[in-house]
């Protein structure tokens, strides 16, 4: 029997993988190249999604809570990244050598999987509104939602959750 906590974690994973899917469609279909902060947020979404999936497939209440706690903490990291992109990086002529740029190139994902993690724009160029709201703010909102979705799993009751 699937518990409420497991269902919430699966929903978190679905939202995360869906966000990356939307980002890839935006990039490859609608020609919206990503900046360093964009691809870093993709990585955060993927890590949250994988952790949430692991926590959602049994393993006991402790694993479920740990997965949810990690998802919540990573969501806060995503909030910080999206906020920095929106408030600072998007107003810079270049986000070259910012933390996101150094991190993504340093771990090698940009070169290894360029269709997913390639940095093809400056943050100023990636400042694009979708339905009148900047892309970074959409991402920030989703990270906040993910955070609040994970909290009931972390702090929920032990019985039949």
């Amino acid at each position: 029997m699937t518990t409420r906590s497991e269902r919430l974690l699966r929903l978190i994973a679905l939202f995360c993988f869906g966000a990356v899917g939307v980002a890839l469609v935006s990039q490859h279909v609608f020609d919206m190249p990503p900046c360093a902060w964009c691809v870093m947020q993709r990585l955060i979404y993927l890590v949250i999604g994988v952790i949430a999936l692991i926590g959602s497939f049994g393993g006991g209440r402790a694993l479920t809570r740990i997965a949810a706690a990690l998802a919540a903490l990573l969501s806060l990291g995503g909030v910080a990244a999206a906020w920095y992109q929106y408030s600072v990086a998007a107003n810079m002529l270049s986000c070259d050598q910012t933390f996101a740029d150094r991190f993504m190139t340093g771990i090698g994902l940009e070169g290894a999987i360029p269709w997913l993690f390639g940095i093809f724009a400056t943050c100023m160029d990636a400042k694009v509104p979708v339905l009148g709201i900047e892309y970074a703010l959409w991402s920030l909102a989703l990270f906040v939602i993910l955070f609040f979705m994970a909290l009931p799993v972390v702090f929920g009751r032990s019985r039949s959750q």
Side-chain angles (χ1 to χ4, degrees), residues 64 75 144:
T64 301
S75 294
V144 168

Side-chain angles (χ1 to χ4, degrees), residues 20 23-24 26-28 32-43 46 95 100-101 103-105 107-123 126:
V20 173
L24 290 172
S26 297
Q27 175 183 347
H28 296 290
M32 295 170 62
C35 69
W37 288 96
C38 297
V39 296
M40 186 167 164
Q41 289 170 67
R42 289 180 188 182
L43 178 61
L46 290 173
C95 47
D101 182 63
F103 182 78
M104 293 307 296
T105 57
I107 63 173
L109 286 176
E110 182 203 15
I113 315 171
W115 61 270
L116 179 60
F117 296 116
I119 300 168
F120 299 112
T122 67
C123 294

Side-chain angles (χ1 to χ4, degrees), residues 74-107:
L74 286 164
S75 294
L76 291 177
V79 167
W83 181 253
Y84 184 85
Q85 178 185 353
Y86 172 75
S87 63
V88 177
N91 299 314
M92 299 167 60
L93 291 176
S94 171
C95 47
D96 190 29
Q97 295 306 310
T98 62
F99 174 77
D101 182 63
R102 288 182 310 208
F103 182 78
M104 293 307 296
T105 57
I107 63 173

